[in-house]
Structures are given as C-alpha cells and as structure tokens.
Amino acid sequence: MYDVNFTERLLALHYVFPVPLNRLQKLFEVDPDLTQLDQISTQKLAGYLNLSVEKAGILQENYIKTLNSPLNEAYMAHNIFPIPFHHSLYPNKLLASYDPPVVLYTKGLVDILKNWRRIAIVGSRQATNYSEKILNYIIPPLVEQKYVIVSGLAKGADRMAHEATIKFSGQTIGVLGHGLFHLYPKENRKLAEIMEKEHLLISEYPPYVKPQKWHFPMRNRIISGMSEGILVTEAAEKSGTLSTIDHGLENGKHIFVVPGDITKPLSKGPHKLLLEGAMPVWNGYQIIEEIEGFLLSK
C-alpha cells in the first residue's frame, strides 16, 4: 500500500523524468517506495534507469530540488489533479497495458473516470463532413447508455467526436500529446476550455511539456488503453489513426469502422481494417451490443 509521501516522491520523480511506468521497473525493484532515490549512487541510478552517469546525476539533483518545492500547491493553483498509477481513479485497463503512464495529469471532472464505459473515436485530421454526419448516428445511442467518448482533441475527426458528444449532452475525455500548460492545435482552444470545465482533459506529461511530434503516437496508446473499443470514421490507408488501432489490437480491444465511399482516399483506412476483421457499424447500438454482449459472455 502506497502512502502520501510515496505519491509526493513519485510526482517529483515524474516531473523531472516523465517516462512510462515500464522505464521505472528496475528502480522499483530495488527501491519500491522511492525512499532511497535521493541517496543512491549515480552509477547505480544510471543502471536502473538506462541513463548515462552524467544524466543520472542531473536527474537526481533536479529530483531533490523538485521534492523540496511546493509541487502539489502549484498543481492545485492551476486546477490540475495528478492521478498516479496506484490511485483508485487510474483506469485498470490502461494500467494492464504494456507501457502505462506513471501519472495522468487531469483537468476537469475526474469522476468521469469512474465510468468504465468508454469508447474511443478516432480518424483523420482531414476528416470531411461525412464523419460529422455519421457521428449523428453513432454517438446518441452511446450517450443514452452512458458511454464516455474518448479522443485526442486534434483537428478533424477528434474535434468532431468531442463536439458531437457535447451537442448530445454526453461526457467526453480529451487525451493530449503535451502538458496542460499548452494547447495544440490552437484552433481547438474554445473546445478545450469547455472540456476542462465540464468534461475532462488528460495528459501523461507534466504541465510544462510542449507538444512534440513523437508525443502523439504515444498519446494514442492511452486513448486505446483506457477504452473498451475503438471506432474509426475516416482515415487514409497510411495514417497515424492506425497506430491507435495497433495499440488496440495488442490489448484485445473491439475495433469498429464506418464503411465509406470506395472512391474516397479517406475510406481506404477503414476498408483495410474491415478486411483485417474489424466490425462494420452504422449506428451506436451495434457497438453497445458487441461490447455488452462480449462482457456478458465472459
């Protein structure tokens, strides 16, 4: 059982070394409560964290400084609520994945995480009004049955999924590829401001971390990991959207696609997934029946 002091030590470590949980495994094997982290030799620390001795020394120095700073008060001042991996609100299915985040930094209504009924909706940043139209068929039944819609707050299909959920009075979670002090893309600022008050924003990165290209594929594993299933609207044959599906397949998620116009490039991704065994859907009830039926049969 972890205590309050462990949480403070963990948050301080993650602030200076924001990596997935599997990167800390060797350290936890020798120092499970992080009580020795400020005293351990830099040579040993370097070995545990797969760092150079120089970087391990800098990390340890910054960790000690952060441990002695009012980190929790700073988060509270910005309405940021960190959820470490041992917290009761941390999604169990995400924790069971290969490389779960050490901490989820959240802003908004954290109790949304108590609802296990979560469906990810993803698609192209160039999604057309076809995605917008089909979400009018897909989302209302999901909202009616209290499903939470998870997406990435990106342009295109992500934005449409969040906005449609809000329009139909549902709850939605936006998973970010950067810290909560930043916003990308800027076009979604108004949407993000609504979500951080009335819904939920999540990031695995401490608030100061800026958007980087490689953060977004990493973010996709969280979208997938915390959801029961993933729906793809429109996506190119070679698309970042499909990395979310790859994570989903690795973790046994239900994969749903909306069939599209065979003459359109953004139908190629969904149709390829259909060939590989994804379930075609054209209303939200099909998704519910598949998930609830699967759960009942277990």
Side-chain angles (χ1 to χ4, degrees):
M1 190 70 182
Y2 298 105
D3 60 15
V4 174
N5 292 331
F6 169 76
T7 299
E8 290 179 354
R9 292 189 290 269
L10 183 69
L11 290 176
L13 172 60
H14 193 256
Y15 189 85
V16 300
F17 192 54
V19 296
L21 189 58
N22 59 352
R23 283 288 307 275
L24 301 181
Q25 195 58 48
K26 289 183 179 178
L27 176 63
F28 281 139
E29 286 172 7
V30 296
D31 188 14
D33 298 318
L34 300 179
T35 53
Q36 305 302 315
L37 184 53
D38 56 343
Q39 303 164 23
I40 198 168
S41 74
T42 53
Q43 287 82 3
K44 287 184 177 179
L45 185 61
Y48 299 146
L49 299 180
N50 194 26
L51 296 171
S52 68
V53 174
E54 181 184 1
K55 286 184 177 179
I58 294 169
L59 185 154
Q60 190 175 54
E61 183 181 331
N62 289 335
Y63 165 75
I64 293 168
K65 287 179 183 175
T66 305
L67 196 59
N68 293 317
S69 68
L71 195 56
N72 284 327
E73 288 86 343
Y75 290 148
M76 287 176 63
H78 290 90
N79 298 314
I80 293 170
F81 182 64
I83 299 175
F85 69 89
H86 58 282
H87 195 284
S88 61
L89 285 175
Y90 193 104
N92 290 333
K93 292 198 171 183
L94 180 59
L95 186 59
S97 61
Y98 166 69
D99 54 353
V102 173
V103 181
L104 296 175
Y105 298 90
T106 69
K107 202 167 189 180
L109 307 180
V110 293
D111 280 356
I112 290 175
L113 290 172
K114 292 180 180 178
N115 184 356
W116 64 266
R117 290 177 169 85
R118 293 186 286 265
I119 292 292
I121 297 181
V122 296
S124 172
R125 286 178 169 81
Q126 284 75 46
T128 69
N129 63 349
Y130 178 65
S131 284
E132 219 155 13
K133 287 178 182 177
I134 62 179
L135 291 175
N136 291 326
Y137 293 89
I138 300 289
I139 287 181
L142 294 171
V143 167
E144 178 188 310
Q145 297 301 313
K146 308 299 182 188
Y147 274 80
V148 176
I149 304 304
V150 182
S151 199
L153 201 65
K155 296 177 185 177
D158 288 17
R159 175 188 59 77
M160 293 173 187
H162 293 305
E163 288 182 342
T165 305
I166 293 168
K167 180 175 76 172
F168 292 113
S169 301
Q171 292 184 313
T172 186
I173 297 173
V175 183
L176 309 178
H178 48 77
L180 288 164
F181 287 168
H182 303 277
L183 178 64
Y184 180 84
K186 296 189 186 308
E187 298 95 307
N188 287 348
R189 180 169 297 281
K190 287 185 179 177
L191 176 59
E193 287 173 354
I194 292 169
M195 289 179 64
E196 70 181 25
K197 292 182 177 72
E198 301 172 14
H199 300 273
L200 189 64
L201 297 180
I202 287 178
S203 174
E204 70 173 311
Y205 300 104
Y208 67 86
V209 175
K210 294 180 179 180
Q212 301 289 347
K213 283 185 179 180
W214 61 87
H215 289 173
F216 295 95
M218 293 290 287
R219 172 207 59 184
N220 291 345
R221 83 192 195 287
I222 302 175
I223 294 173
S224 165
M226 69 188 302
S227 303
E228 295 293 319
I230 306 166
L231 170 72
V232 181
T233 62
E234 295 177 286
E237 189 171 5
K238 294 180 180 179
S239 166
T241 298
L242 301 185
S243 74
T244 308
I245 300 302
D246 290 340
H247 288 297
L249 291 170
E250 287 171 9
N251 291 286
K253 306 292 180 179
H254 297 272
I255 308 298
F256 306 100
V257 299
V258 179
D261 182 338
I262 62 171
T263 68
K264 303 295 185 185
L266 292 182
S267 296
K268 289 184 178 180
H271 291 169
K272 181 182 178 184
L273 292 172
L274 282 174
L275 275 175
E276 295 171 354
M279 178 178 174
V281 296
W282 49 92
N283 68 64
Y285 292 112
Q286 296 167 295
I287 294 173
I288 296 164
E289 287 170 8
E290 180 70 12
I291 288 174
E292 307 269 347
F294 176 76
L295 290 170
L296 289 171
S297 68
K298 287 181 75 175

